[in-house]
Amino acid sequence: MHLGQQLSLLIKNTPIIEQQSVLECAINGVIDYFASSLQASNGTNVQQLLAWINDEGGNNRAWLIGQKTLATSRQAALFNGFQAHCLDYDDVHIDVRGHPSAVILSALFASIRLDDSLTRLDGRRFLTAYVIGIEVMALLGRCVNPEHYEKGWHTTITLGGIAATAAICYLYDEPFLAQALTLAATQASGLRLMMGTPIKFLHAGLAAQHAIQSVEWLRAGISADKDFLDDNLGFLSIYGQGNDNLDLTVWAKPWKIVEPGLWFKTYSYCSAASYIADAGKLIYKHPKFNVDNIDYITLFFAPINSDAALIYKKPLLAEQGRFSAEYILALILLGIPIDFEQFASKPIADNILQLIQKMQRSYDIQLTPHPDAYNKRYVVIEIVLNDGQKISQRVDIPQGSPKNPYSQQELAAKLFGALQNEIKAQQLLSDIYALANGMDIKQLLISHWKML
């Protein structure tokens, strides 16, 4: 049996998940997804994409999350993925080195036709499909990274479309799963070059759209009867180092949504910069710290290339700052609140640029990593003051990461903050929790699409 067929059987034969610990992780992911999406729903870029969709037109079938609008399934996938990822506020997974929920949940929600009042979709099966999508994305991520990511591929799209396709096919028990994975794999593309631009966020929408159209094309009768994990020309051979690193025996042992788990955010920048941000906040409180007394700053990253996502060392635009350790550290040391406005499409202020000029990166550091640090990763900030004194701070496990997670209350607060309406937020939260008891996912969407 071909490797792609083996993976397909694992997916297809997965029973609906009943373990409460796994379902709770999935529920947290759905809560965070809505919080990230709704926070972005009135943004300029989101409204521009919405205007394009309205101009294109089509059959109104699927919900554009947070908008009182239905669109085609492909349009909804594109829009939902873009919006969920638009603020870089959505979850990440360390095996993926990308954003799973913005793709997988966007595709799953877009697949649900609200013009069909007869079909019922069990909430537990929906959550299981979501968990499977993350499992597939993490398994592939383990195989191709770090080389795939560091070479310049954006894993959110290159792995996300395949993962979302697996999730949709499981949700509807499609008979052509193996072909759908192949069709999704052949659409995989996306460059990290686009970080710091709105196209980076569009990658999540494109990946979700790849999943939708892969399934719809196969339903229409188009075939793709090839193994996407072919030994010579398959996905892992082209995008990774071959099939040898793919170990299907670890499937669901444990589920990757549980271990290592999802990394949630309460900030609007790349999670790779959270190490810097946490360290910077501690330095800001240091009794000897005064920003006016800084001579120079060294940002130590370990291991080498652990800062690959932070591509802007000397950013000029605030939106580029999402992927700049220097920009985020400068904001913190200057006492500037790191809110959404600090990453708008505007030039960076002179005082921030002047502080960035005092910073340099280094990889010349060899300390013993914390035993829970992922990939032995840590950051040290060292500030040399004008009088020669030094202030330093190290961070191995940032807040929000799986080993230093936010509480249930903090995740709920993120949703309440996005909606700014306690009644609506509480009702949505209650319905999301009800999915674990089998609530019809379609009923959740129908209940909220005109209300949010």
Side-chain angles (χ1 to χ4, degrees):
M1 184 182 298
H2 296 306
L3 197 56
Q5 292 175 314
Q6 294 177 42
L7 177 60
S8 298
L9 283 176
L10 281 174
I11 296 167
K12 186 175 180 62
N13 294 333
T14 296
I16 292 177
I17 294 172
E18 297 182 355
Q19 302 102 301
Q20 284 303 307
S21 59
V22 182
L23 292 175
E24 286 174 7
C25 290
I27 289 293
N28 287 342
V30 176
I31 293 170
D32 188 79
Y33 172 85
F34 273 102
S36 301
S37 298
L38 296 172
Q39 184 68 55
S41 61
N42 294 317
T44 300
N45 288 327
V46 168
Q47 293 302 311
Q48 289 170 338
L49 185 59
L50 179 61
W52 175 82
I53 288 172
N54 289 335
D55 182 65
E56 184 180 54
N59 295 321
N60 295 329
R61 294 174 173 171
W63 184 29
L64 306 183
I65 302 293
Q67 313 292 331
K68 296 179 175 61
T69 305
L70 301 181
T72 71
S73 295
R74 291 175 69 251
Q75 290 168 339
L78 182 71
F79 178 88
N80 292 344
F82 178 82
Q83 180 177 254
H85 191 34
C86 192
L87 297 174
D88 225 298
Y89 197 41
D90 53 310
D91 65 47
V92 298
H93 195 286
I94 48 185
D95 286 344
V96 173
R97 291 191 77 165
H99 301 259
S101 299
V103 179
I104 297 164
L105 287 175
S106 292
L108 284 171
F109 284 130
S111 76
I112 299 170
R113 291 185 54 169
L114 298 187
D115 62 340
D116 172 11
S117 60
L118 300 178
T119 305
R120 184 182 183 279
L121 293 171
D122 184 283
R124 287 165 298 191
R125 188 171 185 90
F126 177 89
L127 293 175
T128 303
Y130 170 41
V131 171
I132 285 172
I134 289 177
E135 189 77 4
V136 170
M137 202 168 177
L139 280 175
L140 295 177
R142 286 184 173 187
C143 290
V144 301
N145 287 324
E147 293 86 355
H148 180 76
Y149 187 87
E150 291 172 0
K151 188 174 182 178
W153 293 109
H154 186 198
T155 49
T156 297
I157 180 171
T158 56
L159 308 181
I162 300 170
T165 300
I168 293 174
C169 286
Y170 179 86
L171 179 62
Y172 298 97
D173 194 21
E174 296 290 3
F176 44 65
L177 171 57
Q179 291 192 56
L181 296 177
T182 300
L183 195 46
T186 199
Q187 299 173 76
S189 185
L191 305 177
R192 282 199 298 111
L193 172 71
M194 306 313 297
M195 287 182 171
T197 78
I199 305 305
K200 194 257 191 183
F201 309 129
L202 195 64
H203 283 171
L206 288 169
Q209 188 178 74
H210 293 163
I212 289 290
Q213 58 198 28
S214 295
V215 172
E216 290 189 346
W217 289 337
L218 286 161
R219 285 174 179 168
I222 298 174
S223 62
D225 193 13
K226 293 288 184 180
D227 180 14
F228 92 102
L229 294 177
D230 180 83
D231 286 338
N232 297 316
L233 294 174
F235 181 83
L236 295 180
S237 296
I238 303 303
Y239 289 86
Q241 296 78 50
N243 291 338
D244 291 344
N245 291 333
L246 181 60
D247 183 7
L248 296 181
T249 66
V250 302
W251 177 267
K253 298 177 183 178
W255 288 107
K256 308 305 178 294
I257 197 174
V258 176
E259 180 63 41
L262 293 173
W263 180 324
F264 296 114
K265 300 181 180 184
T266 56
Y267 47 83
S268 182
Y269 50 82
C270 180
S271 58
S274 62
Y275 295 79
I276 292 290
D278 284 7
K281 290 172 185 176
L282 292 171
I283 286 176
Y284 186 75
K285 298 176 182 178
H286 194 284
K288 293 183 179 179
F289 174 74
N290 185 323
V291 70
D292 295 328
N293 295 336
I294 293 174
D295 187 13
Y296 64 91
I297 304 172
T298 304
L299 285 59
F300 292 96
F301 293 90
I304 294 174
N305 288 327
S306 59
D307 61 335
L310 305 173
I311 63 175
Y312 294 99
K313 296 180 181 180
K314 306 290 183 183
L316 297 177
L317 299 175
E319 63 183 345
Q320 296 171 342
R322 282 195 172 95
F323 309 98
S324 171
E326 292 79 5
Y327 176 72
I328 291 163
L329 180 59
L331 292 178
I332 292 169
L333 297 184
L334 288 166
I336 300 172
I338 308 184
D339 54 25
F340 298 107
E341 180 60 27
Q342 302 309 324
F343 302 98
S345 181
K346 62 180 182 181
I348 295 175
D350 288 343
N351 62 328
I352 300 173
L353 292 175
Q354 289 168 7
L355 184 54
I356 288 174
Q357 292 299 321
K358 296 183 178 183
M359 300 182 191
Q360 61 183 2
R361 298 189 193 186
S362 174
Y363 311 95
D364 186 19
I365 189 167
Q366 294 182 348
L367 303 176
T368 302
H370 189 284
D372 288 335
Y374 181 73
N375 277 349
K376 302 179 180 179
R377 187 171 177 176
Y378 61 90
V379 156
V380 174
I381 297 174
E382 183 179 87
I383 297 180
V384 177
L385 304 177
N386 292 330
D387 62 4
Q389 293 190 73
K390 294 181 180 180
I391 302 174
S392 67
Q393 183 63 53
R394 170 179 172 174
V395 168
D396 294 62
I397 308 171
Q399 188 178 19
S401 60
K403 297 296 184 180
N404 186 11
Y406 293 121
S407 66
Q408 290 283 342
Q409 291 75 19
E410 287 171 310
L411 284 177
K414 182 174 174 178
L415 180 63
F416 278 66
L419 269 173
Q420 294 292 305
N421 184 306
E422 186 171 350
I423 295 175
K424 290 181 180 181
Q426 188 58 60
Q427 185 58 56
L428 178 58
L429 199 61
S430 297
D431 285 348
I432 292 172
Y433 277 113
L435 294 176
N437 298 320
M439 176 184 176
D440 183 1
I441 182 66
K442 183 178 292 186
Q443 187 57 49
L444 182 149
L445 299 187
I446 291 172
S447 298
H448 292 277
W449 81 269
K450 289 186 179 179
M451 184 174 70
L452 294 181

